[in-house]
């Protein structure tokens, strides 16, 4: 599903126009991005928990040459599905 398809689905389910649905989706995406960039986590009970975790620096290997290379520390987004989402997926 692409963003345009998601906007259409939101519009159909909510009764909002496509323009309003797109604005709502963009606002949600912007809020989630802002919160995660500030180090906050988002908990949507039953749906998911989204947070930022630190990944330590480590040594990897170049697959074509086998030479070791340093992989710097970074931040990653962690998504943990909630119980209701798991039930819907496994039904």
């Amino acid at each position: 599903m692409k963003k345009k398809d998601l906007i259409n689905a939101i519009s159909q389910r909510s009764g909002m126009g496509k323009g309003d649905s797109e604005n709502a989706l963009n606002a949600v995406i912007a809020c989630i991005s802002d919160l995660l960039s500030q180090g906050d986590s988002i908990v949507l009970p039953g749906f998911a928990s989204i947070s930022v975790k630190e990944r330590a620096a480590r040594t990897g290997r170049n697959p074509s040459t086998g030479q070791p290379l340093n992989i710097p520390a970074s931040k990653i987004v962690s998504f943990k599905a909630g119980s209701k989402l798991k039930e819907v997926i496994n039904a």
Side-chain angles (χ1 to χ4, degrees), residues 5-72:
D5 299 325
L6 182 56
I7 290 168
N8 289 335
I10 292 169
S11 178
Q12 289 175 352
R13 285 201 175 202
S14 68
M16 295 189 305
K18 289 182 184 178
D20 290 337
S21 296
E22 182 175 9
N23 290 339
L25 179 59
N26 289 337
V28 168
I29 291 169
C31 287
I32 290 171
S33 298
D34 290 344
L35 289 168
L36 292 175
S37 70
Q38 296 170 9
D40 290 337
S41 61
I42 300 147
V43 178
L44 302 169
F47 180 71
S49 297
I50 308 169
S51 61
V52 176
K53 293 185 178 182
E54 298 282 334
R55 179 177 277 173
R58 60 199 189 280
T59 302
R61 294 218 176 263
N62 182 327
S64 61
T65 65
Q67 295 285 62
L69 59 108
N70 293 323
I71 302 171

